[in-house]
Amino acid sequence: GMLRQASAISSATPVVTGLHDRALSEDIAPEKMQLHDVPVDIVCTPTRALRVERPLPKPTGIYWHALPRHFLQSSAPLRVVKAKIEQGLGLRLAPPLPP
């Protein structure tokens, strides 16, 4: 979310993850994805690399309304990004949820 928010990456930037072969699932239902989950394009295990055929849409930025307060309090980069966005928009973003 932060890199996308800062225009450092785009929806075309590949998202790669690594996991054990036993943790690999051939199909994860889109309805099981939560807001904070990031769809991946490539999965690497110790024995193989797989390209995901039907990737889901990637986040377009930071979901401020779903960000727990303690995340914002403990992350200086998040606070800086939020302040810059608010200054540029001239308004306050949704307050973080309580922890």
Side-chain angles (χ1 to χ4, degrees):
M2 279 184 71
L3 294 175
R4 187 78 186 269
Q5 186 83 50
S7 299
I9 62 172
S10 72
S11 62
T13 304
V15 176
V16 181
T17 192
L19 50 91
H20 194 279
D21 287 288
R22 287 184 232 156
L24 186 62
S25 175
E26 291 298 321
D27 193 29
I28 296 176
E31 59 271 9
K32 289 190 176 185
M33 296 286 286
Q34 296 184 17
L35 185 63
H36 64 271
D37 292 326
V38 177
V40 299
D41 300 297
I42 300 170
V43 177
C44 297
T45 73
T47 63
R48 57 188 169 159
L50 304 165
R51 186 170 288 279
V52 176
E53 293 181 22
R54 297 178 312 272
L56 298 169
K58 296 176 186 170
T60 58
I62 299 169
Y63 300 120
W64 296 106
H65 66 282
L67 190 66
R69 179 167 291 152
H70 69 275
F71 277 39
L72 191 58
Q73 291 170 338
S74 65
S75 174
L78 271 176
R79 290 192 306 273
V80 169
V81 169
K82 184 174 187 280
K84 285 183 179 182
I85 292 170
E86 289 175 336
Q87 184 179 20
L89 294 175
L91 55 89
R92 293 196 46 86
L93 297 172
L97 300 173

